[in-house]
Amino acid sequence: MDFRELGRNIRLAVAGGARRICLEDVCGQRYIAAGLTADVSILIRGVPGNDLGAFMQGPRIRVLGNVQDAAGNTMSGGEIAVHGDARNVLCYAMRGGHVYVRGDAGYRAGINMKASGDRCPVLVIGGSAGGFLGEYMAGGRIVVLGNIAGDWTGAGMHGGAIYIRGGVSPHRLSPDVRVCDLDDSDWVQLREDIWQYCRSFDADPDPFLASSFVKLVPRRLRPYGDQYTH
């Protein structure tokens, strides 16, 4: 089925009162649930294409497979749980909601994430994260339960926080971030994020909760402020 037809069918189903939708044999169709604001649960079996859940606010998406580029692009609410891996630019400019990936994430996950009003976007990666994680990040939280597999983590970061289980090698970090210890409020948020992640995948939270974490924060709030003319 062409992605345009699939998108129309989803919207017609939601308009007709559907609150649970199951998509079978998905193979690269783009823009699934893009822009949706309804209270609807969508189960996807297969591999959705680029921009899954882009601009959405409200739906809960569960993917029994991998996702391609830009899942969660500019989403402002709802939830995406990926039982496989995610490709590049995951959660680009995400402004709210929750995204959980059981496996690995590609390059530039969380790029330009930012909080919007009382909304705080949360991205939890169960495996490894590629290079430029949290690039230009301006708000929200990223939690990595695996490891940092690429360099330049936090390049241009000027807001929000990145939590990494077990620590990170200094050579993986951008000079725009610094490592600090977690305080009590950090642990409250982190425990909640871990619980929600484990609930999504029916996983045991105890090994994660018993682990040590480090927190990455930006060194400056406006790292490129001196480059503007006015």
Side-chain angles (χ1 to χ4, degrees):
M1 184 182 295
D2 180 79
F3 74 92
R4 297 178 184 86
E5 182 181 359
L6 177 60
R8 284 193 295 268
N9 287 341
I10 292 173
R11 291 183 177 279
L12 286 172
V14 170
R19 290 297 173 260
R20 297 181 66 187
I21 297 173
C22 181
L23 306 179
E24 300 282 355
D25 300 322
V26 172
C27 187
Q29 286 90 345
R30 304 189 293 276
Y31 309 124
I32 294 175
L36 279 184
T37 59
D39 180 15
V40 58
S41 296
I42 302 176
L43 175 64
I44 299 175
R45 300 182 188 272
V47 180
N50 292 1
D51 288 298
L52 169 71
F55 304 103
M56 79 172 194
Q57 180 180 338
R60 297 170 303 281
I61 299 176
R62 183 182 177 201
V63 181
L64 301 183
N66 303 323
V67 296
Q68 294 185 352
D69 292 349
N73 176 7
T74 321
M75 66 180 280
S76 57
E79 179 180 303
I80 299 176
V82 180
H83 284 245
D85 299 327
R87 283 182 58 88
N88 302 329
V89 291
L90 173 69
C91 299
Y92 172 78
M94 181 183 178
R95 295 168 184 254
H98 300 78
V99 174
Y100 306 113
V101 177
R102 188 162 198 171
D104 301 331
Y107 289 96
R108 290 184 161 87
I111 179 175
N112 204 28
M113 277 177 61
K114 58 191 69 176
S116 179
D118 59 351
R119 296 172 182 165
C120 179
V122 176
L123 167 61
V124 182
I125 300 168
S128 64
F132 294 91
L133 173 73
E135 185 179 27
Y136 304 126
M137 185 177 176
R141 298 192 301 277
I142 297 176
V143 180
V144 180
L145 299 175
N147 59 78
I148 300 297
D151 297 334
W152 291 99
T153 295
M157 182 179 176
H158 54 281
I162 300 174
Y163 301 90
I164 302 173
R165 182 187 180 198
V168 59
S169 298
H171 76 273
R172 297 290 191 191
L173 301 180
S174 160
D176 298 319
V177 298
R178 62 183 177 89
V179 179
C180 59
D181 295 328
L182 280 63
D183 60 25
D184 290 342
S185 63
D186 290 320
W187 277 112
V188 169
Q189 294 177 335
L190 184 58
R191 289 189 185 101
E192 178 63 22
D193 294 338
I194 290 173
W195 272 105
Q196 295 300 331
Y197 167 89
C198 290
R199 187 188 66 173
S200 298
F201 304 119
D202 194 24
D204 181 7
D206 289 343
F208 301 122
L209 295 173
S211 301
S212 62
F213 285 81
V214 297
K215 178 182 179 182
L216 305 182
V217 295
R219 292 186 181 275
R220 292 188 294 166
L221 296 182
R222 299 184 71 226
Y224 301 109
D226 57 356
Q227 298 182 23
Y228 300 128
T229 57
H230 58 277

